[in-house]
Every structure is written in structure tokens, then in C-alpha cells.
């Protein structure tokens, strides 16, 4: 009797463990697999490197800033020799972002200049991750993950105005800003 209970519990633990393992491609595994691959550039930025003067922030902007832990950027720079590779990589990202756990917040752009989509993981006022995916046939593509706790989209958009005021082009992120121009 004791042996059969142990066997049942062991089997239950094994089933739960196997069910929790996700064998599909995730954004995190895509980052890890691609960060050192040819054509890719990756950058992890803690919020302390953003060099924002917190004394100038409104209460909402400060809440948004404090809710962000870090930014992770993965970019693929396009040129004539890797156009087909870029198309394959863009298709992989689009497949990953079709997962229902990624809620679409915004979409924009055009086929000439490039397109972007903003998605998130989490509830309305309790977002754990924002994902910005932008691609341009001429420039390449970028995936930016904004990671944090209890982030709020509206507050994050308020915080974006701080970057405009502080002229992000003058910081170490000028190449990131140039990608989107």
C-alpha cells in the first residue's frame, strides 16, 4: 500500500514537471540563441544607466521609472548579404509574438518606412513585460523587452516624454534612437 502511494505521488510529480516544461520557442530563448549570432547585436540596460534626474519627474513618471527593472534589446542589422536571414528571423519573432500570452497594445508604421508592434505580458495595471518589435526592410529589426514589476502602460508612455525632454540622442543610446528614425 505504501509503495503504491509513493509510486502514484512520484508519477504525479513527474507528469506535472513534464507539463510545465515548455519545449516551444519563447522570446527569452530566442534572445539567448541569437545574441551572439552573426548580424545580431544585444544590449541589457539597467534603469540606472538611463541617467534620468528623478527630481524632475512627476509622480506618475516616477512610479513608472521605479517599476522598470531593465531594458533588453536585440537588434538585427540588415544588409544585402543577409536579407534572407532577416526574413527568417522576423518570421520566428512574429510566430513567438502570436502566442496569446502577448497582448497587443499598439501597432503602427507602414511598408515603406517600417512597422512596429507593442505587446505586453500581464494585466492592465500589473504588466511584467512590454515588448516592442520594430522592423524595416532597409535597417533590420529590433526587439526591446522592458522588464519590471507592476508596470502600467499609460505611466510608461508618460515616462517616454522624459526621454524627449532629456534628448536621448545625447546619451549612449543614440544608435538605438537612430534605428527608429
Amino acid at each position: 500500500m505504501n509503495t503504491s502511494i509513493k509510486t502514484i505521488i512520484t508519477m504525479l510529480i513527474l507528469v506535472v514537471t513534464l507539463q510545465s516544461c515548455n519545449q516551444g520557442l519563447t522570446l527569452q530563448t530566442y534572445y539567448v540563441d541569437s545574441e551572439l549570432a552573426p548580424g545580431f547585436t544585444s544590449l541589457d540596460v539597467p534603469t540606472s544607466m538611463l541617467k534620468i534626474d528623478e527630481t524632475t519627474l512627476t509622480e506618475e513618471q516616477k512610479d513608472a521609472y521605479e517599476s522598470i527593472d531593465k531594458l533588453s534589446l536585440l537588434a538585427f542589422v540588415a544588409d544585402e548579404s543577409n536579407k534572407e536571414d532577416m526574413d527568417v528571423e522576423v518570421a520566428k519573432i512574429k510566430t513567438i509574438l502570436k502566442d496569446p500570452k502577448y497582448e497587443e497594445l499598439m501597432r503602427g508604421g507602414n511598408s515603406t518606412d517600417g512597422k512596429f508592434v507593442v505587446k505586453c505580458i500581464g494585466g492592465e495595471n500589473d504588466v511584467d513585460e512590454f515588448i516592442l518589435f520594430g522592423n524595416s526592410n532597409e535597417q533590420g529589426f529590433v526587439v526591446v523587452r522592458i522588464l519590471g514589476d507592476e508596470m502600467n502602460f499609460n505611466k510608461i508612455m508618460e515616462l517616454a516624454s522624459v526621454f524627449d525632454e532629456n534628448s536621448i540622442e545625447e546619451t549612449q543610446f543614440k544608435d538605438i534612437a537612430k534605428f527608429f528614425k
Side-chain angles (χ1 to χ4, degrees):
M1 179 77 167
N2 243 355
T3 306
S4 63
I5 291 175
K6 287 181 183 178
T7 304
I8 291 172
I9 290 174
T10 303
M11 293 297 281
L12 182 62
I13 291 171
L14 182 62
V15 168
V16 169
T17 303
L18 290 175
Q19 287 291 330
S20 66
C21 292
N22 182 356
Q23 299 300 323
L25 188 61
T26 66
L27 204 51
Q28 178 64 31
T29 58
Y30 182 80
Y31 262 71
V32 172
D33 293 345
S34 302
E35 67 185 344
L36 299 176
F40 284 94
T41 301
S42 67
L43 181 67
D44 284 334
V45 183
T47 54
S48 60
M49 286 185 65
L50 296 177
K51 297 181 181 176
I52 294 177
D53 181 7
E54 291 187 55
T55 61
T56 63
L57 300 178
T58 67
E59 197 61 39
E60 279 192 342
Q61 291 169 335
K62 190 172 183 177
D63 287 346
Y65 181 66
E66 290 173 353
S67 71
I68 298 172
D69 293 331
K70 73 175 183 174
L71 307 172
S72 291
L73 175 131
L74 181 69
F76 186 91
V77 180
D79 62 31
E80 292 299 319
S81 67
N82 65 8
K83 190 76 168 137
E84 289 180 15
D85 294 337
M86 186 182 98
D87 293 340
V88 169
E89 298 301 326
V90 167
K92 285 181 188 177
I93 294 170
K94 286 181 177 180
T95 300
I96 292 168
L97 294 179
K98 283 183 183 176
D99 189 316
K101 74 178 180 181
Y102 298 107
E103 181 183 340
E104 186 171 315
L105 300 173
M106 186 185 318
R107 171 180 296 272
N110 59 56
S111 57
T112 306
D113 298 325
K115 297 179 181 180
F116 74 91
V117 64
V118 177
K119 295 196 174 205
C120 72
I121 297 175
E124 184 176 322
N125 293 318
D126 186 19
V127 176
D128 294 322
E129 180 176 348
F130 285 105
I131 299 100
L132 169 65
F133 171 56
N135 67 310
S136 163
N137 291 331
E138 302 298 318
Q139 300 286 322
F141 67 84
V142 66
V143 180
V144 179
R145 297 172 67 205
I146 303 171
L147 304 165
D149 294 311
E150 298 181 12
M151 294 184 292
N152 178 293
F153 181 70
N154 294 327
K155 290 180 180 179
I156 296 293
M157 294 307 290
E158 280 283 323
L159 185 61
S161 67
V162 173
F163 291 117
D164 291 338
E165 294 165 7
N166 289 333
S167 185
I168 193 169
E169 273 94 355
E170 295 175 11
T171 69
Q172 65 271 33
F173 304 111
K174 64 182 176 185
D175 292 332
I176 297 169
K178 192 188 315 181
F179 181 85
F180 288 105
K181 287 186 178 180

